[in-house]
Amino acid sequence: MSLAQRLRAQMRWRGIKSQSQLARISGVSQSCIHHILTRQDGYWPSRRTLLRLARALGTTAPWLTDGVAAAPAEPPPERTGASEPGGYCAEICALVSRQPHSAQRQILAAVRLMTRP
């Protein structure tokens, strides 16, 4: 299995549907992700890029590059039907986790208000 195949597998497993979405979550440019996915072994990203991708996908850089370390053992909870958020949850978590604790509390309060029945 190549880096591109492992990256695609992790994207699918996490519900990330596009290169752009992974770019927003990881902070890696969409063009770099595109190069990894389309050039197979002809393109090799920097260690920093691999670490960012691995962190965003919930795995390790060694697993992405060589498949040597195990990917997370349990898949995310099953979602069905129209309520399936795809990779939105992963993107929201990545964006919120970059904020200071006080901002995280404010974001949570705002989300609670928006989702009140």
Side-chain angles (χ1 to χ4, degrees):
M1 191 180 242
S2 70
L3 169 62
Q5 291 168 324
R6 282 187 290 276
L7 184 61
R8 268 193 207 91
Q10 281 299 104
M11 287 173 67
R12 249 189 328 272
W13 189 77
R14 290 285 177 187
I16 297 170
K17 303 211 185 287
S18 70
Q19 295 173 20
S20 296
Q21 190 176 23
L22 180 57
R24 286 190 302 272
I25 293 168
S26 66
V28 173
S29 72
Q30 184 273 328
S31 63
C32 181
I33 294 167
H34 176 76
H35 288 313
I36 295 168
L37 292 174
T38 59
R39 295 192 180 171
Q40 297 290 331
D41 293 326
Y43 173 78
W44 204 254
S46 70
R47 176 169 169 70
R48 181 177 180 212
T49 296
L50 290 169
L51 289 171
R52 284 180 170 187
L53 290 171
R55 190 176 315 116
L57 294 168
T59 190
T60 63
W63 185 82
L64 277 178
T65 58
D66 303 316
V68 292
E74 292 189 26
E78 284 293 320
R79 297 181 190 104
T80 58
S83 65
E84 183 175 283
Y88 294 132
C89 290
E91 185 172 350
I92 290 168
C93 287
L95 292 170
V96 171
S97 70
R98 295 180 192 145
Q99 303 302 313
H101 184 69
S102 60
Q104 290 178 3
R105 286 185 309 183
Q106 291 173 341
I107 292 167
L108 179 58
V111 169
R112 284 180 179 149
L113 284 173
M114 290 187 302
T115 57
R116 235 183 233 170

